[in-house]
Amino acid sequence: THSSEYRTRRFINWFPLGISYALLYMGRYNLTVSKTALGSLMPKDMFGDIFAVGSIVYGCAFLLNGPLTDKIGGRAAMLMGMMGACVANLAMGLYTKSMMNVATPDATNLKLVFTLLYAVNMYFQSFGAVAIVKVNASWFHVRERGYFSGIFGIMISSGLWLAFDVNGRILKSGLV
């Protein structure tokens, strides 16, 4: 058992980290929301190609970002991941808006732009995944990992809700 001070401090550290990870998860699924908004401009095969490149980048980025996170720390890695993913997702949102606001959109560059932006997004997404593990290890004992898994599941579910509900509402509102 931990003291109430320890549990309070752990919550103070973990709550913003959990919100940050949920927001990263939200950004991880922006491509799906964009595909829905763009309709026939982004056919399934294009979506699959973009998603595949992003997934490969995400997986390979762990080889670089794992050791880098060990060197710079979990907090710095999470901040880098959040900032990079934020910029990439904002750019995807603005590009999606520009494509939706043109009378006859030209999908010529769509695949290239989304492939590059989604790859950048997924690179920075990997920082968040590594940072969560790095920070988790020092705050949750092995006996508490089941408890943490429940919290982690809530974070992921919240991020999925943000992605599919909130992002859809943002697109429909015309803000982005």
Side-chain angles (χ1 to χ4, degrees):
T1 58
H2 299 293
S3 68
S4 63
E5 292 84 13
Y6 181 87
R7 289 191 311 266
T8 300
R9 183 65 184 146
R10 179 168 65 180
F11 176 80
I12 290 169
N13 283 350
W14 256 96
F15 187 72
L17 191 64
I19 298 295
S20 298
Y21 195 75
L23 291 170
L24 278 172
Y25 229 78
M26 176 187 185
R28 193 174 297 177
Y29 288 95
N30 276 349
L31 181 65
T32 307
V33 176
S34 296
K35 194 257 181 271
T36 302
L38 292 169
S40 62
L41 284 174
M42 186 184 286
K44 289 180 183 178
D45 61 332
M46 183 187 296
F47 173 84
D49 292 344
I50 296 166
F51 193 83
V53 169
S55 297
I56 291 166
V57 167
Y58 181 76
C60 292
F62 283 102
L63 298 172
L64 176 63
N65 293 344
L68 186 56
T69 298
D70 282 340
K71 186 173 185 164
I72 65 173
R75 181 191 320 183
M78 180 57 88
L79 290 172
M80 287 174 61
M82 289 294 296
M83 287 186 285
C86 179
V87 169
N89 279 286
L90 182 61
M92 280 191 285
L94 292 172
Y95 188 75
T96 300
K97 181 179 181 180
S98 73
M99 292 299 286
M100 291 172 56
N101 290 336
V102 176
T104 54
D106 179 19
T108 308
N109 293 324
L110 182 78
K111 185 174 183 178
L112 176 63
V113 170
F114 266 94
T115 300
L116 291 174
L117 290 175
Y118 193 66
V120 169
N121 175 43
M122 293 305 280
Y123 172 77
F124 285 104
Q125 290 279 340
S126 76
F127 267 116
V130 174
I132 276 284
V133 173
K134 176 84 173 162
V135 174
N136 168 41
S138 59
W139 286 101
F140 289 88
H141 189 274
V142 173
R143 292 184 311 257
E144 298 174 299
R145 300 286 162 87
Y147 173 74
F148 171 74
S149 295
I151 295 169
F152 198 69
I154 292 168
M155 291 184 310
I156 290 171
S157 297
S158 299
L160 287 170
W161 172 76
L162 289 168
F164 292 110
D165 187 65
V166 175
N167 284 346
R169 291 174 194 254
I170 291 170
L171 274 174
K172 287 177 186 172
S173 75
L175 290 173
V176 175

